[in-house]
């Protein structure tokens, strides 16, 4: 059984915000951004941060 990293409410809210298309994005605290990048839940693209497949799976689990 793998151990799933825990996200704080703020971190999961940022991940949900990034996954929401069309919504105005807020400033992301650097510590939160670094953690989400390190966990590979998001990745940097030319047009900003994008939620990865792994990040989407975590969002699905957190929303259940």
């Amino acid at each position: 059984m793998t151990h799933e990293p825990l996200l704080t409410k703020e971190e999961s809210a940022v991940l949900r915000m990034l996954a929401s298309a069309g919504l105005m994005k807020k400033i992301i605290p650097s510590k939160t951004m670094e953690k989400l990048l390190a966990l590979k839940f998001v990745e940097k693209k030319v047009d900003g941060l994008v939620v990865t497949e792994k990040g989407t799976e975590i969002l699905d689990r957190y929303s259940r």
Side-chain angles (χ1 to χ4, degrees):
M1 178 188 266
T2 60
H3 187 282
E4 182 176 299
L6 296 177
L7 296 178
T8 65
K9 287 183 181 182
E10 178 185 2
E11 292 163 348
S12 60
V14 167
L15 193 56
R16 271 193 300 282
M17 176 196 64
L18 291 170
S20 300
L23 296 178
M24 189 178 345
K25 307 238 187 299
K26 298 179 183 177
I27 295 173
I28 301 168
S30 61
K31 188 174 182 179
T32 300
M33 183 175 67
E34 289 171 13
K35 182 175 179 179
L36 294 176
L37 285 167
L39 293 171
K40 300 188 188 286
F41 292 165
V42 298
E43 60 183 22
K44 288 185 181 180
K45 297 284 187 172
V46 175
D47 55 345
L49 293 174
V50 178
V51 177
T52 63
E53 186 175 326
K54 186 175 178 181
T56 302
E57 289 172 6
I58 287 296
L59 279 175
D60 287 344
R61 284 191 210 137
Y62 272 83
S63 63
R64 289 182 189 170

